[in-house]
């Protein structure tokens, strides 16, 4: 049901390209010190963001190409309806066989909201004994309920709770943008 409150584009594609460039620059010293990293995208939208960051790390920052894998993690629907009280994590069996012992891992997600999804990912990966785990997120809502923080944040949006921050990321949406949906405006 539309209430008349309009959605607002907070960042357009051109602005987000600058955000990704800054994120890659922030990550580059750590990536170079590691030699090589495993870059994990949290499906869905974290995967293309991980691809974009990986490309920028190589082309703009001169880092070694990262090994790429994805994890399917779900807690909330796009409208923030709770789907899984215990965050659901699903690993591709081919990726589950990868040895993470001693590897440096970077996890990329679109929005850091409550912290439950990233905590589930970090717990899962920590059992595989990596040398280090870092987290990068395009948007930090600044309202986590757990003591979870991202190491690299594209934008911090400390705005009223109750609304929704939508990260529109191709190929899932046609346009790369961050949209604010005020409380009551979700259809």
């Amino acid at each position: 049901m539309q209430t008349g409150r309009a959605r607002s584009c907070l960042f357009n594609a051109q602005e987000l390209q600058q955000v990704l460039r800054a994120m890659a620059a922030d990550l580059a010293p750590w990536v170079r010190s590691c030699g090589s990293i495993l870059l994990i995208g949290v499906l869905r939208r974290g995967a293309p963001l991980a691809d974009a960051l990986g490309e920028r790390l190589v082309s703009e920052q001169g880092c070694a190409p990262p090994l790429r894998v994805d994890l399917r993690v779900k807690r909330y629907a796009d409208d923030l309806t709770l789907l899984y009280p215990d965050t659901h994590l699903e690993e591709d069996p081919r990726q589950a066989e990868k040895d993470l012992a001693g590897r440096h891992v970077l996890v990329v997600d679109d929005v850091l909201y409550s912290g439950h999804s990233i905590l589930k990912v970090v717990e899962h990966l920590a059992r595989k004994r990596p040398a280090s785990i870092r987290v990068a997120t395009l948007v930090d809502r600044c309202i986590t309920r757990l003591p979870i923080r991202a190491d690299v944040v594209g934008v911090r949006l400390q705005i009223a709770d109750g609304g929704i921050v939508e990260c529109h990321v191709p190929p899932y949406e046609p346009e790369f943008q961050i949209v604010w949906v005020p409380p009551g405006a979700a259809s």
Side-chain angles (χ1 to χ4, degrees):
M1 175 177 178
Q2 285 296 92
T3 64
R5 290 180 159 170
R7 295 166 180 256
S8 301
C9 178
L10 301 178
F11 291 86
N12 64 32
Q14 183 178 359
E15 293 165 328
L16 287 175
Q17 292 304 327
Q18 295 302 317
V19 168
L20 288 175
R21 180 171 284 119
M23 291 175 72
D26 287 350
L27 286 164
W30 173 73
V31 173
R32 282 192 212 99
S33 74
C34 295
S36 70
I37 63 166
L38 173 62
L39 186 54
I40 298 177
V42 176
L43 290 169
R44 288 191 328 164
R45 292 168 183 88
L49 291 171
D51 289 338
L53 275 176
E55 290 167 11
R56 288 192 179 281
L57 285 166
V58 173
S59 67
E60 296 173 5
Q61 300 297 324
C63 297
L67 178 62
R68 271 282 290 118
V69 298
D70 295 321
L71 285 175
R72 183 172 308 282
V73 180
K74 199 70 171 167
R75 180 171 175 82
Y76 299 101
D78 287 343
D79 67 358
L80 297 182
T81 303
L82 184 65
L83 296 175
Y84 298 99
D86 295 319
T87 304
H88 179 73
L89 184 144
E90 184 180 319
E91 189 172 41
D92 183 318
R94 296 167 295 179
Q95 295 172 356
E97 298 170 4
K98 293 201 183 313
D99 183 16
L100 299 187
R103 294 197 70 109
H104 299 277
V105 177
L106 174 63
V107 177
V108 179
D109 203 0
D110 61 340
V111 178
L112 178 57
Y113 181 60
S114 69
H116 288 93
S117 296
I118 290 298
L119 179 61
K120 183 79 166 195
V121 169
V122 169
E123 286 175 337
H124 171 77
L125 296 172
R127 288 191 293 270
K128 297 178 178 244
R129 301 180 324 278
S132 64
I133 301 171
R134 299 281 170 105
V135 173
T137 188
L138 183 62
V139 176
D140 183 346
R141 284 289 309 271
C142 302
I143 55 172
T144 56
R145 293 177 177 98
L146 301 172
I148 299 294
R149 301 289 177 261
D151 298 287
V152 172
V153 174
V155 294
R156 295 181 196 282
L157 296 176
Q158 193 168 2
I159 46 187
D161 198 11
I164 299 169
V165 171
E166 294 179 347
C167 289
H168 295 195
V169 182
Y172 301 110
E173 291 85 19
E175 231 179 303
F176 190 26
Q177 60 184 348
I178 297 174
V179 175
W180 168 245
V181 182
S187 51

